[in-house]
Amino acid sequence: MRRAAIGLGVVVVMLLGAFAPAAWTQGDPIKIGVIQPLSGPVAASGNYVRMGAEIGRDWVNARGGVLGRQVQLLIEDNKSDPKEAATAAEKLIVRDKVPVIVGAWGSSMTLAAMPKLEEYGVPMIVETSSAATITKRGNPWIFRISPPSEMEAVGLEKYMKDLGIKQADFLAVNTDWGRGAASAFGDLLKRSGASVGAVEFMDQAATDMNAQITKVKAGGADTLFLTTSVEQITLVLKQAQEQRLSRKIITTGGSSSPSQLIKQAGPAAEGTMHILFFLPWFPEAMPDGKLAKAFVDEWAKRGHPFEGLTEGFRGHDGVITAVEGLKVAGKPDPKAVRDALWSVSVMGVNGPIKFEKDGPAGKESGQSKPSIFIVQIKDGKIALPAFAVKK
Amino acid sequence: MDQLLQHLLNGLLLGSTYSLLGIGLTLVFGLMNVVNFAHGEFYTLGAYGAFAALVAASLNFFLAIPVAILAGALIGAACERLLLRPLRAASIDTTMLVMIGLWITLQNAELLAWGGVAKSVPTPFPTEPVAWGPVSVSRLRIFVFVMSALLILGAHLVLTRTRLGRAMRATFQDRETAALMGVSIERIHTVTFALGAGLAAAAGALLGPVFLLYPSMGDLAAQKAFCVVILGGLGNFVGAAVGGLLLGIAEELGAGYVSSGYRDAVGFVIIVLMLLVRPSGLFARAERVG
Amino acid sequence: MRARAATAVLLVVAASAPLWVWNPYHLHTLIMAGIFAVLALSLNLLLGYTGQLSLGHAAFFGIGAYASALLSVKLEWSPWLGMLAAVVLPGLAGWGIGRLALKLRGAYFVLLTISFAGVVSLVSVNWMDLTNGPLGIPGVPALAVALPGLPELSFRGKGAFYYLVLAAVIAAYVLCRRLVASRVGRALVALRENEALAESVGIDGTHYLVLAAMLSAMMAGAAGGLYAHYTRFVSPEVFLFTYTVTMVIMVVAGGKGTLAGPVLGAVLFTVLPEALRALASWQWQMLLYGVLLIAALFFMPRGIVPALAARFPRAPVSS
């Protein structure tokens, strides 16, 4: 009986904790919310973004913060679950009163949080999600710095002749990201006079893709477009090697972390090409070479794995965009920040960030036009493919 | 035809992984009647254990596997002593919930300890696949297949031919009588659970190098294991083995010829059909169904 | 009489909550707790009273959510008709499961429910034309009541929706209570205790299992409909296994086979993760959750409500 009372006592303490006011976090710093998948199947990516965000925060604070105050990041885990993303957004907005949020990685998570943004009137910088509908739904509180799949496909368009694709298959993760990419690049192929072969999908948690690879092998295509996280890409490449699949492989989405592929897939990754939004191997080639190099160096200094750079920069760019919005607004008020974001023009690791209108008139979201690159793994190292080497 | 042959080979290999996952669980779930939601975590521990032995202790690949199995068995024994023994009198649902708590705790501890980045286990096998006419397969997978078959056979023999196995079967069939016959009930419980955990760890140590290591790798494994165990008949090793192969082949053919998106659905449909035709599993002995 | 007074106090506290819970985030937590309470009660019907475990209950929840969302978004039906569909369609599915189960009990019934949930989940992801696949269905309209001559009463705001959920929880509780006390309830308990004996007395096991599955599914579907019109976004993640696990935790830790147990479990295990979010950094939240769950079961192996009932005994009630 005493045990039950103790148990109940613990429970009551928990309840009190939940309903405790957030007064103790009030104070000097300006708070920026960050919602990422820090646990679950894509925990690695979410954590890389978080690490990049922390670098952004520290650099801003070293330069004196914003509006005379230091920046504090309030980091929430959306557990790769849209319901949690919405709850995290609500908590950040209502309990912690953040004027701006950076998040939420996956497109479903971002879509789930969007009604909350509109309900309370708080802007969110979208740093990774690629579904087109995010900026087309008529939510004026959304500002995206990552490219939708359609923009990615356009980025590849100039290389289509050099690539010489006649028929391509698609193997994509069965989420909005994978399906969106398959559709966008499929349209690109048709525009360029090539044809689409098989379109296969894999479950986000799947580890055995042999069936899909066998099917792809039996078709006659010369190229395979692969859209998924680096873990599944590794598995697909290894299983493709096992089945002696030989064709051009191009990964999309920017989460392929080629350095990690070299380490984990080894010779199976040889010759593969990857669409990325950051080139940590050649930071000088980025629009602001000095900033990019500084970011790479700081990342290494903190002991973060090199493989994470291709995603970590998103956190940095998201935070400095939010900070710039606060600066232009002049006060940590969500609506002022939202209005200010339209005039923001700031240089991120990926390149210049400036928002253009996207979506239905009167309720446009902001969409920036990020730089898009393509690299190739040659002799176990990252290189620019021959046709992409500029003057 | 080539495509079909490759699909069948894929299915056989995939199915063998499912069988391997099932045999540890069929002991704990089938014999001990514990709904072990933490089964996937022992699988993960085995994989990370082998990784740690290889990378941190620089052990030989073939030594790292038994080390991982031992680690899994010991942790399993500890869990049984600390969590299950005090709750021996509790209902099956309470123990199920404790296993759920263990699952959540272990997985998040792994996330904390190892981080979310997937790890790859180096193996001594060359990556060049072996070609058998129209099909090809890697040496590592052949090794894993052979080891799985040996483990399944070994476990079956232990259960049916040894004194320990007899004591185990006696304990879970009729506890009082077994105790009267001189069997140490408490020890048998611990040993059985440890054996189940060890087999799960073996699966992890063998399959980790084939795939990748990450903290939530056990979730999918556990899901398949439960299907295979119930399909094959609770407590039945041969049933789990055959059930696993059937499930693997069904999924592979479904993905190859029906739709890759609905791949798992094919497996589920097969399971439902099986249950309707043989409600007590493939290899039902005359046992209680409910 | 003590129980009556306690219940009255509880109702007053619950009914007045939007007045003194000034933080909308906390009100949001209570609303989610209410939705889960209906879910937990539905699972309890099967697990607590027939003794059969359904590990696919998230499927009924999800079917309800999708049914209501699709009808109100794609066909532009009134959300109330959508709610009706959210109850009826899962009910049909539950009836189907019950009939399919026939002689399946125990682990085999569990596997059937897992398989069913698995198939439904995959359909929601892959059948793009119907469900929009992984992108989900955004823009689900809020519930509203428009009576002639009166201004429209919308349930879009949290305060209003809280009352709707509270009404649903009370309705579900009362429904379960009457069911349990009726002949059907007694038959279910008889089947749970000893199916062979019950059948020998003329109670048809399959018939009652089908009935229980159907009612349980209908309640879960209602919870799904409420969820759809509250969050106004439905995606395949409603079929995530973690929701089923959470439901099971709520029922068993709360006290299966009781009526207050699932409700208490729902409130506690909805509030607990939020409390942990406030108290611990993200790396430790779920770890602590797992440890607390194990600890709770050690102290109260039969669930919280039975432990409390043992502490405050009253006249024996058959349950």
Side-chain angles (χ1 to χ4, degrees):
Chain A
M1 302 316 114
R2 203 167 47 121
R3 302 199 304 180
I6 296 175
L8 208 59
V10 169
V11 156
V12 169
V13 168
M14 295 270 94
L15 280 168
L16 286 175
F19 289 94
W24 57 346
T25 56
Q26 240 66 286
D28 247 1
I30 289 196
K31 292 173 268 180
I32 296 179
V34 175
I35 305 178
Q36 290 291 309
L38 300 170
S39 59
V42 290
S45 301
N47 276 291
Y48 290 148
V49 173
R50 172 187 59 88
M51 294 173 197
E54 285 164 354
I55 293 181
R57 168 202 62 197
D58 292 340
W59 280 352
V60 166
N61 284 341
R63 292 196 289 266
V66 68
L67 304 178
R69 294 154 69 176
Q70 295 279 284
V71 169
Q72 182 188 23
L73 294 180
L74 292 180
I75 300 174
E76 290 293 330
D77 179 7
N78 66 31
K79 303 181 183 119
S80 305
D81 179 356
K83 173 169 98 52
E84 292 297 312
T87 303
E90 180 130 32
K91 176 200 171 268
L92 286 169
I93 295 172
V94 171
R95 197 173 187 279
D96 303 309
K97 306 214 188 333
V98 300
V100 61
I101 302 177
V102 177
W105 204 86
S107 299
S108 303
M109 273 66 91
T110 303
L111 283 167
M114 277 166 63
K116 300 283 176 195
L117 302 173
E118 215 164 352
E119 181 180 343
Y120 294 108
V122 174
M124 184 160 90
I125 317 270
V126 177
E127 86 302 332
T128 307
S129 305
S130 67
T133 146
I134 288 173
T135 43
K136 302 247 191 275
R137 283 206 56 78
N139 186 321
W141 301 92
I142 286 285
F143 292 84
R144 174 157 57 178
I145 59 175
S146 53
S149 300
E150 289 74 15
M151 220 182 251
E152 244 190 280
V154 166
L156 190 65
E157 194 146 15
K158 54 181 182 282
Y159 300 125
M160 282 308 283
K161 274 218 2 230
D162 296 299
L163 285 168
I165 303 173
K166 301 232 182 11
Q167 185 184 33
D169 299 317
F170 288 90
L171 180 55
V173 64
N174 203 353
T175 63
D176 41 79
W177 171 35
R179 284 188 178 259
S183 155
F185 282 91
D187 292 339
L188 170 69
L189 283 174
K190 296 194 196 114
R191 282 205 300 271
S192 317
S195 64
V196 174
V199 181
E200 298 297 319
F201 296 103
M202 49 201 160
D203 185 85
Q204 195 175 46
T207 51
D208 188 297
M209 274 68 76
N210 280 302
Q212 290 92 323
I213 293 171
T214 303
K215 216 161 143 184
V216 158
K217 189 174 165 193
D222 50 65
T223 308
L224 174 66
F225 279 93
L226 194 50
T227 306
T228 182
S229 62
V230 61
E231 290 86 3
Q232 275 192 322
I233 296 178
T234 308
L235 291 170
V236 168
L237 291 179
K238 278 167 74 164
Q239 286 161 19
Q241 181 190 41
E242 193 172 318
Q243 291 196 38
R244 290 174 298 155
L245 181 78
S246 61
R247 53 193 69 174
K248 259 198 305 281
I249 297 181
I250 304 178
T251 73
T252 84
S255 300
S256 56
S257 186
S259 297
Q260 188 166 333
L261 285 178
I262 294 176
K263 261 169 79 170
Q264 296 185 344
E270 186 63 27
T272 54
M273 289 185 263
H274 308 274
I275 296 181
L276 297 172
F277 315 123
F278 179 34
L279 300 172
W281 315 270
F282 326 113
E284 324 74 34
M286 301 296 294
D288 184 340
K290 265 183 58 191
L291 173 62
K293 180 103 183 43
F295 184 74
V296 173
D297 292 339
E298 179 68 22
W299 185 273
K301 212 166 86 178
R302 296 184 179 213
H304 295 327
F306 185 84
E307 302 81 66
L309 275 165
T310 44
E311 286 192 272
F313 80 91
R314 304 201 219 241
H316 168 274
D317 285 359
V319 165
I320 60 158
T321 308
V323 164
E324 188 68 15
L326 281 162
K327 197 165 96 178
V328 174
K331 51 184 169 156
D333 168 68
K335 185 154 188 328
V337 172
R338 192 272 304 259
D339 296 333
L341 280 167
W342 287 109
S343 353
V344 152
S345 175
V346 67
M347 182 61 82
V349 170
N350 165 273
I353 297 172
K354 190 157 167 51
F355 295 107
E356 286 170 16
K357 295 196 174 201
D358 193 7
K363 297 192 291 177
E364 294 94 346
S365 314
Q367 174 72 56
S368 177
K369 286 182 85 123
S371 326
I372 298 177
F373 310 94
I374 182 166
V375 299
Q376 188 174 30
I377 298 180
K378 281 207 276 247
D379 303 322
K381 289 208 252 298
I382 311 292
L384 291 174
F387 53 78
V389 175
K390 304 187 274 235
K391 37 244 168 233
Chain B
M1 193 54 198
D2 291 358
Q3 192 183 357
L4 178 63
L5 282 175
Q6 183 73 51
H7 275 306
L8 284 173
L9 180 61
N10 294 341
L12 199 66
L13 292 171
L14 180 66
S16 70
T17 67
Y18 290 163
S19 307
L20 189 59
L21 290 168
I23 52 175
L25 186 61
T26 205
L27 259 182
V28 173
F29 186 25
L31 280 190
M32 292 177 73
N33 219 19
V34 170
V35 186
N36 188 6
F37 268 96
H39 183 75
E41 295 316 304
F42 291 110
Y43 167 78
T44 310
L45 280 171
Y48 274 109
F51 175 78
L54 270 173
V55 170
S58 304
L59 277 180
N60 176 286
F61 177 78
F62 300 101
L63 268 182
I65 298 177
V67 165
I69 298 177
L70 196 62
L74 285 173
I75 298 178
C79 288
E80 201 281 331
R81 290 283 321 261
L82 294 172
L83 293 177
L84 290 177
R85 193 181 293 198
L87 290 174
R88 188 80 76 217
S91 75
I92 182 176
D93 295 309
T94 303
T95 42
M96 174 177 71
L97 223 63
V98 170
M99 288 294 110
I100 290 178
L102 185 64
W103 169 33
I104 295 174
T105 308
L106 281 177
Q107 189 169 127
N108 281 282
E110 280 148 18
L111 185 61
L112 203 61
W114 298 97
V117 183
K119 304 207 185 312
S120 154
V121 178
T123 75
F125 297 99
T127 51
E128 271 305 301
V130 172
W132 293 331
V135 300
S136 60
V137 64
S138 75
R139 283 166 236 262
L140 175 63
R141 298 207 76 166
I142 300 177
F143 170 71
V144 170
F145 183 78
V146 169
M147 292 303 300
S148 310
L150 286 175
L151 275 170
I152 296 174
L153 193 63
H156 179 71
L157 287 174
V158 163
L159 199 62
T160 48
R161 297 286 166 88
T162 65
R163 274 192 56 178
L164 175 64
R166 257 202 307 278
M168 279 162 61
R169 280 181 291 137
T171 306
F172 299 113
Q173 256 167 32
D174 189 333
R175 204 150 94 188
E176 281 82 18
T177 311
L180 284 174
M181 302 288 284
V183 175
S184 161
I185 303 298
E186 296 302 321
R187 234 176 35 140
I188 291 295
H189 273 276
T190 308
V191 168
T192 310
F193 195 86
L195 203 54
L199 285 170
L206 284 171
L207 292 172
V210 175
F211 302 117
L212 284 173
L213 269 54
Y214 46 95
S216 52
M217 64 192 285
D219 292 350
L220 187 65
Q223 185 194 323
K224 299 294 178 191
F226 269 106
C227 292
V228 164
V229 162
I230 301 175
L231 197 58
L234 299 172
N236 191 317
F237 279 115
V238 177
V242 175
L245 289 175
L246 275 174
L247 189 63
I249 295 176
E251 272 185 21
E252 180 71 24
L253 292 176
Y257 293 106
V258 177
S259 148
S260 51
Y262 280 110
R263 164 199 190 114
D264 288 350
V266 174
F268 286 128
V269 169
I270 302 278
I271 289 174
V272 170
L273 289 173
M274 285 284 173
L275 285 175
L276 294 180
V277 168
R278 289 196 66 109
S280 37
L282 289 171
F283 287 81
R285 298 173 293 204
E287 56 170 284
R288 259 183 60 233
V289 175
Chain C
M1 291 313 106
R2 221 168 20 164
R4 284 267 170 85
T7 317
V9 168
L10 204 60
L11 275 174
V12 167
V13 166
S16 61
L19 299 171
W20 47 267
V21 179
W22 58 92
N23 190 326
Y25 164 65
H26 295 150
L27 200 54
H28 162 79
T29 307
L30 285 178
I31 291 175
M32 292 306 296
I35 293 178
F36 269 98
V38 176
L39 266 177
L41 279 169
S42 80
L43 183 65
N44 185 40
L45 256 185
L46 268 182
L47 181 59
Y49 290 98
T50 66
Q52 299 301 323
L53 174 62
S54 159
L55 280 185
H57 236 62
F60 301 126
F61 175 72
I63 292 175
Y66 264 100
S68 196
L70 283 170
L71 287 173
S72 35
V73 171
K74 291 213 173 165
L75 293 183
E76 293 184 16
W77 282 17
S78 151
W80 295 106
L81 284 178
M83 284 294 295
L84 190 64
V87 170
V88 168
L89 278 168
L92 285 173
W95 178 83
I97 294 292
R99 283 239 68 99
L100 214 57
L102 285 180
K103 293 274 163 250
L104 292 176
R105 301 286 185 270
Y108 307 95
F109 181 77
V110 176
L111 185 56
L112 180 67
T113 59
I114 292 178
S115 306
F116 170 67
V119 172
V120 172
S121 168
L122 285 166
V123 166
S124 81
V125 171
N126 285 293
W127 197 351
M128 304 279 300
D129 293 336
L130 179 67
T131 64
N132 226 11
L135 262 171
I137 304 172
V140 179
L143 288 164
V145 174
L147 294 170
L150 292 169
E152 189 190 69
L153 172 66
S154 164
F155 288 104
R156 200 182 163 108
K158 283 207 182 40
F161 203 89
Y162 171 83
Y163 283 115
L164 190 63
V165 170
L166 185 62
V169 173
I170 293 175
Y173 184 90
V174 166
L175 185 71
C176 286
R177 195 174 172 133
R178 319 246 3 227
L179 190 70
V180 164
S182 76
R183 218 175 52 143
V184 173
R186 284 199 294 274
L188 290 176
V189 173
L191 286 164
R192 178 187 76 196
E193 295 305 316
N194 190 330
E195 181 158 353
L197 186 57
E199 299 230 327
S200 74
V201 189
I203 299 178
D204 180 357
T206 306
H207 167 75
Y208 281 101
L209 185 59
V210 171
L211 191 61
M214 194 173 75
L215 289 168
S216 174
M218 285 167 80
M219 275 176 65
L226 282 172
Y227 174 84
H229 292 289
Y230 173 59
T231 60
R232 306 214 308 281
F233 173 70
V234 179
S235 70
E237 279 86 0
V238 293
F239 295 108
L240 276 176
F241 191 60
T242 62
Y243 288 125
T244 302
V245 172
T246 306
M247 271 187 255
V248 172
I249 293 176
M250 290 171 176
V251 172
V252 178
K256 72 170 185 194
T258 69
L259 287 173
V263 178
L264 185 61
V267 173
L268 277 170
F269 286 97
T270 307
V271 170
L272 184 60
E274 297 308 317
L276 288 171
R277 210 195 279 271
L279 291 172
S281 74
W282 57 268
Q283 298 103 316
W284 293 95
Q285 279 167 26
M286 289 315 285
L287 190 63
L288 282 175
Y289 182 94
V291 171
L292 284 170
L293 179 60
I294 297 179
L297 287 162
F298 259 75
F299 285 128
M300 300 169 278
R302 287 189 39 220
I304 299 174
V305 167
L308 287 178
R311 180 108 165 70
F312 303 105
R314 47 177 197 193
V317 177
S318 62
S319 173

